[in-house]
Amino acid sequence: MDSPYNQSPVYEIDYSVNQINARTSRIIVASKKKIEALNAIAKRQIATAAEIQSFFLAKDFPQGHSYDVAAMTKSAYEVGGYWYDTFTIDQHFFFVVADVCDKAIGSALFMSVFRTLIRTTTTNVFDAGARDDDASQGLVDVLSEVNRYMSINHGESMYFATVFFAHVSDTEDQLNYVSAGHESVMLNYGNHCHALLPATGPALGLFPDAVYQCASHRFAEGDVLLAYSDGVTDARNERDESFSAARLKAYFDQVQQQSVFDMRDQLYARLIEYMNGAEQFDDITIMFVKRTRPRLMP
């Protein structure tokens, strides 16, 4: 009985199907191993990118001045376009809170370019006391130059950055800032007295001839500044309701007397509590700057 069956079309079809199934199984196993290998490589590359990006974030904040600083950031993904920075040149203290559009590795790469350009250009403009008498114009010069370079050389990429760039000095009760399309920063003078610091020019990297202006505000003992990314006010809970600027202001009213580190940690905890397990879809960056002592006499 086997001989006629082995010579029949049914046997040939059955044999062919078995061969196809066996080959398909081998292909699936090989493809799965290949995919797993590629995923492992991608994960290692992303982990390396996240580690490198962390090197660009300030770890040590200025000490021994008339102001305290605390900042943090939490990316929605492994890497992103967020960053904050603090650095000093002579008696000048600078701080930055910024965000490159989009997320993931592309934004992280451009973040490193923007951050390095701002630092380098600031050093060139303010080095050796060149701007001791005109810090406001120095801030404008820095962002104008960075914007011009990025717009001309990388404008086609459409990776632009919103940047809050500010300056304080131990010898002045004044804050100078330029905001390139960034979220309105909050300044708390106590007794529920606030100032919102709106943008003074467009985002960096879009228009080579963009015009920026510097604004100034009082920054005396006890005053606190809160700079943040839109991932703070746009943080959403399980009902898809945003945290909002109103909730942020209400929080800010309650904590002005605390240290900058407590304010930072409590605000982030408040955001996590508000989201209540909902997915974080945008980068969260927070910086507090507090004037802790009267200005020094020049």
Side-chain angles (χ1 to χ4, degrees):
M1 293 295 294
D2 289 340
S3 179
Y5 171 75
N6 291 341
Q7 300 174 14
S8 72
V10 174
Y11 172 80
E12 293 178 355
I13 293 171
D14 183 60
Y15 176 81
S16 298
V17 168
N18 288 335
Q19 291 294 309
I20 291 171
N21 287 339
R23 292 174 182 174
T24 301
S25 297
R26 289 196 294 271
I27 291 172
I28 290 173
V29 171
S31 298
K32 183 178 179 181
K33 290 181 178 179
K34 183 67 173 178
I35 291 172
E36 289 175 347
L38 292 174
N39 282 338
I41 292 172
K43 287 181 180 179
R44 286 197 300 272
Q45 291 176 338
I46 292 173
T48 300
E51 183 180 13
I52 292 172
Q53 185 172 28
S54 70
F55 296 154
F56 287 102
L57 300 175
K59 303 296 189 301
D60 300 318
F61 301 108
Q63 302 292 324
H65 295 276
S66 61
Y67 41 81
D68 290 336
V69 187
M72 64 150 293
T73 189
K74 176 65 175 176
S75 176
Y77 303 109
E78 288 85 353
V79 292
Y82 60 87
W83 88 91
Y84 64 82
D85 200 8
T86 67
F87 55 97
T88 58
I89 301 174
D90 295 330
Q91 77 273 27
H92 302 285
F93 168 62
F94 303 91
F95 52 94
V96 180
V97 173
D99 198 0
V100 178
C101 67
D102 206 0
K103 301 175 183 67
I105 292 179
S107 295
L109 290 172
F110 273 89
M111 163 263 175
S112 65
V113 177
F114 277 109
R115 183 262 190 189
T116 302
L117 283 174
I118 289 175
R119 273 211 171 205
T120 302
T121 308
T122 304
T123 299
N124 293 337
V125 170
F126 283 86
D127 193 27
R131 288 290 181 179
D132 285 350
D133 59 343
D134 194 3
S136 297
Q137 186 58 46
L139 296 179
V140 171
D141 291 344
V142 169
L143 289 198
S144 296
E145 182 62 28
V146 173
N147 173 70
R148 189 177 302 109
Y149 174 87
M150 293 301 295
S151 299
I152 293 174
N153 293 279
H154 304 290
E156 293 183 357
S157 70
M158 295 305 293
Y159 275 99
F160 60 88
T162 66
V163 178
F164 180 79
F165 182 43
H167 162 274
V168 296
S169 170
D170 282 326
T171 60
E172 295 180 343
D173 285 337
Q174 182 170 291
L175 169 84
N176 306 303
Y177 82 92
V178 178
S179 178
H182 199 69
E183 292 291 309
S184 293
V185 169
M186 295 184 180
L187 188 58
N188 193 327
Y189 297 119
N191 298 322
H192 306 288
C193 181
H194 288 81
L196 288 179
L197 312 186
T200 60
L204 301 184
L206 292 175
F207 314 109
D209 297 323
V211 175
Y212 297 92
Q213 295 179 336
C214 184
S216 299
H217 284 268
R218 189 197 84 177
F219 195 59
E221 184 179 8
D223 295 343
V224 186
L225 180 140
L226 168 56
Y228 55 93
S229 67
D230 56 4
V232 173
T233 50
D234 290 344
R236 296 185 175 275
N237 59 18
E238 69 278 10
R239 298 184 297 276
D240 199 34
E241 299 168 337
S242 65
F243 187 74
S244 76
R247 286 188 176 89
L248 183 60
K249 181 178 178 296
Y251 164 82
F252 201 18
D253 278 339
Q254 302 168 5
V255 298
Q256 186 187 11
Q257 302 304 319
Q258 299 182 19
S259 74
V260 289
F261 299 100
D262 287 340
M263 286 188 280
R264 176 199 63 187
D265 295 343
Q266 289 178 19
L267 175 54
Y268 182 65
R270 185 76 60 89
L271 290 171
I272 295 301
E273 179 183 11
Y274 181 81
M275 289 189 289
N276 193 29
E279 182 181 4
Q280 179 187 337
F281 67 91
D282 203 357
D283 303 332
I284 292 174
T285 305
I286 300 166
M287 176 181 282
F288 285 94
V289 183
K290 184 175 184 177
R291 198 65 180 259
T292 55
R293 299 194 304 273
R295 69 182 181 91
L296 302 176
M297 295 304 295

